[in-house]
Amino acid sequence: MEKHLVVLSGAGMSAESGIKTFRDADGLWEGHEVMEVASPEGWHNNRELVLDFYNQRRRHLLEVTPNKGHRILADLQNDFKMSIITQNVDDLHERAGSQNVIHLHGELLKVRSEIAPEMVLDWTTDLNSSDRNAEGHALRPDIVWFGEAVPEMERAINVVKEADFVLVIGTSLQVYPAASLMDYAPKRAVIYYIDPKPAAVAATYQQLKIIPEKASRGLEMIKEELINWGQTL
Ligand code: APR
């Protein structure tokens, strides 16, 4: 029976593709007051500033490519039932070939109606305040901002509950509820945490195997062990 490998990825997963993380030294939040560009209040106060912030990130995303870590995860689909649960709003997991990807915090290449959140559009160019959907609604980035609900959380919890293996990759485990997902892993699950500067809280999880490496190197190091282990269990 194919074992279920669940990945919980954060900004560090995309760091080697050239996308800045949020809380590292020269992080994405540098030069920006987080709440000015990633909260409903910020959107209300200065729509143009928020649109420009996401337009810059969307343009940059179209210039970068998946890294070796994304590709190793896509390859592991040959040996496991794979579920990717990511806090990232980029599409690099998908571009590397991963099929089942849940975006807890939304997607940079999507926008949605301001009044009907279920009306989502693919969007790869700049979003301007004059843009409208076919129904004439104003549009906003399809991103979960601070203080907003995380619609995919329940689905993500149910996936983690079914895990045989969990790979936590490149997240500082500081933002909830995403950071709590690990708690829903079955006691029997094997959990790895790959991060060059692992969050201190990780040391409190007995079940966690900490690999203090970058995503690509850490995944290269454990992929054989994972495949062999998956076949024996
Ligand atoms: N490989 C793996 N991990 C890395 C790498 C790398 N090459 N480079 C940095 N990291 C690690 C850092 O050590 C850090 O622990 O990635 C983590 C990035 O943490 P954050 O910048 O806090 O990103 P993340 O945990 O994804 O933030 C969660 O916060 O700002 C909000 O919504 C935003 O989804 C984001 C959420």
Side-chain angles (χ1 to χ4, degrees):
M1 153 82 155
E2 215 177 25
K3 297 299 174 201
H4 192 178
L5 173 56
V6 177
V7 175
L8 306 179
S9 68
M13 184 78 229
S14 299
E16 290 160 270
S17 294
I19 295 183
K20 282 186 175 179
T21 61
F22 293 95
R23 295 174 183 81
D24 278 331
D26 62 346
L28 200 62
W29 295 135
E30 300 289 297
H32 283 290
E33 192 11 70
V34 180
M35 302 314 265
E36 276 181 358
V37 292
S39 74
E41 296 74 21
W43 174 246
H44 176 74
N45 295 336
N46 189 339
R47 175 177 296 237
E48 294 304 330
L49 175 70
V50 176
L51 286 171
D52 181 56
F53 176 70
Y54 286 98
N55 287 345
Q56 287 179 46
R57 290 176 65 192
R58 193 178 302 105
R59 282 186 221 140
H60 180 55
L61 175 54
L62 298 176
E63 290 164 2
V64 301
T65 53
N67 60 60
K68 190 173 159 204
H70 292 109
R71 290 195 295 276
I72 290 174
L73 292 177
D75 292 346
L76 282 170
Q77 292 175 123
N78 300 322
D79 302 280
F80 292 92
K81 172 180 188 301
M82 291 278 293
S83 302
I84 308 257
I85 300 168
T86 186
Q87 297 173 79
N88 300 339
V89 295
D90 64 56
D91 64 337
L92 296 179
H93 280 302
E94 292 93 334
R95 276 200 254 159
S98 286
Q99 306 287 321
N100 310 320
V101 183
I102 295 176
H103 286 273
L104 288 177
H105 295 160
E107 296 185 64
L108 198 47
L109 299 181
K110 290 196 166 70
V111 300
R112 69 172 192 250
S113 155
E114 278 214 82
I115 52 177
E118 73 286 356
M119 297 170 107
V120 176
L121 297 170
D122 289 331
W123 203 276
T124 57
T125 57
D126 281 3
L127 178 64
N128 302 305
S129 47
S130 53
D131 288 320
R132 295 288 179 273
N133 68 5
E135 289 73 18
H137 301 171
L139 298 167
R140 59 163 276 181
D142 191 28
I143 301 281
V144 176
W145 284 328
F146 284 96
E148 293 187 315
V150 180
E152 295 283 23
M153 191 62 193
E154 187 164 349
R155 186 154 81 102
I157 287 170
N158 291 331
V159 167
V160 174
K161 283 179 173 174
E162 303 297 320
D164 294 303
F165 296 89
V166 179
L167 301 184
V168 182
I169 309 173
T171 175
S172 62
L173 295 169
Q174 289 180 48
V175 174
Y176 286 80
S180 67
L181 270 176
M182 218 176 1
D183 300 338
Y184 294 92
K187 285 289 159 273
R188 73 175 193 289
V190 178
I191 308 181
Y192 292 88
Y193 176 38
I194 302 174
D195 191 309
K197 288 178 285 178
V201 68
T204 63
Y205 285 85
Q206 303 311 319
Q207 213 172 338
L208 220 52
K209 293 174 182 303
I210 298 178
I211 298 174
E213 299 285 347
K214 294 185 173 183
S216 296
R217 174 144 171 67
L219 284 164
E220 187 61 52
M221 284 164 64
I222 67 166
K223 71 179 182 183
E224 294 312 319
E225 178 181 315
L226 269 173
I227 293 168
N228 296 336
W229 208 337
Q231 282 158 0
T232 54
L233 284 181

